[in-house]
Amino acid sequence: MRHDSADDRAAVREFFTERAARWDTRFPDDGPAYAAAVAEMGLRPGDAVLDAGCGTGRALPALRTEVGASGAVLGADLTPAMLEEAVRAGRQSAATALLLADVARLPLRDGCLDAVFGAGLISHLPGPDSGLSELARVVRPQGRLALFHPLGRAALAARQGRQVTPQDIRAEPRLRPLLSATGWRLLSYVDEDERYLVLAEREPV
């Protein structure tokens, strides 16, 4: 069942607007983890890649390093305040463009990207199925998707004072069929205290 109403999107925007100004100071040491995750995507010089839900743009420099000057790096986020923080941090220089856009309704043509990177994305998509389907639409066949978080599910739950549950959308038994239903094939699944990284490949159309 989809949950991607305007109210849902407004709630996501409100959540991140309240936290944008202090986001980077809350998580100051995550840069190397982002770079390591990006390095595992198999990007090549000249590739076009989207940082979906880019927030303050922490992945943008690493993505630019991988695709080089000839590549295209796009950042898209639903929250203006997060994009403003990306600019304030100087990370827009790594991006070809920053887009104020809903990941489930991207202003991009079909199959125009080689890969998508999403840090903390899946848990904040109001409609995970529609969001992942939209990402599949804009990625070429055999293009890559990386779903990343600098903490694994258990470590993140502990930090938030809650328990890990089987209903977690990031749990492999839930995520694998969701990816399959939205045009992706799961390639690898890592859920360790130090990181969460899922790599998937766009299925042929």
Side-chain angles (χ1 to χ4, degrees):
M1 181 177 181
R2 297 187 177 188
H3 299 281
D4 54 1
S5 70
D7 288 344
D8 291 328
R9 291 190 291 276
V12 170
R13 189 182 293 111
E14 181 179 359
F15 176 90
F16 284 105
T17 297
E18 293 174 353
R19 293 161 174 78
R22 62 185 187 278
W23 193 260
D24 283 349
T25 59
R26 290 179 63 202
F27 311 109
D29 303 319
D30 289 347
Y34 274 74
V38 167
E40 292 193 38
M41 292 178 67
L43 295 170
R44 299 164 298 183
D47 276 354
V49 59
L50 170 70
D51 185 356
C54 66
T56 62
R58 285 179 293 175
L60 296 175
L63 293 169
R64 174 58 68 189
T65 296
E66 294 297 313
V67 305
S70 62
V73 177
L74 304 178
D77 202 276
L78 186 65
T79 306
M82 293 297 261
L83 294 177
E84 290 166 8
E85 290 301 318
V87 172
R88 187 172 289 113
R91 298 182 185 120
Q92 85 283 1
S93 62
T96 306
L98 294 179
L99 308 174
L100 178 61
D102 184 347
V103 168
R105 301 174 182 178
L106 290 166
L108 300 172
R109 70 180 188 277
D110 294 358
C112 66
L113 300 175
D114 297 290
V116 172
F117 180 85
L121 176 69
I122 189 71
S123 299
H124 291 286
L125 287 174
D129 51 352
S130 56
L132 290 171
S133 293
E134 177 68 349
L135 294 179
R137 180 187 69 79
V138 299
V139 172
R140 63 168 175 79
Q142 296 185 305
R144 290 292 176 89
L145 169 68
L147 300 175
F148 166 73
H149 197 284
L151 292 176
R153 294 171 58 237
L156 181 60
R159 188 171 74 181
Q160 297 174 342
R162 58 179 178 81
Q163 298 292 319
V164 174
T165 71
Q167 289 73 41
D168 185 347
I169 191 67
R170 300 193 307 155
E172 184 175 3
R174 287 205 64 196
L175 185 60
R176 182 185 290 272
L178 178 59
L179 288 169
S180 179
T182 54
W184 300 98
R185 179 171 67 90
L186 182 64
L187 298 176
S188 62
Y189 181 96
V190 176
D191 183 11
E192 303 168 339
D193 282 351
E194 295 79 15
R195 70 167 181 169
Y196 175 92
L197 181 62
V198 171
L199 297 177
E201 181 178 86
R202 177 69 171 96
E203 292 279 20
V205 178

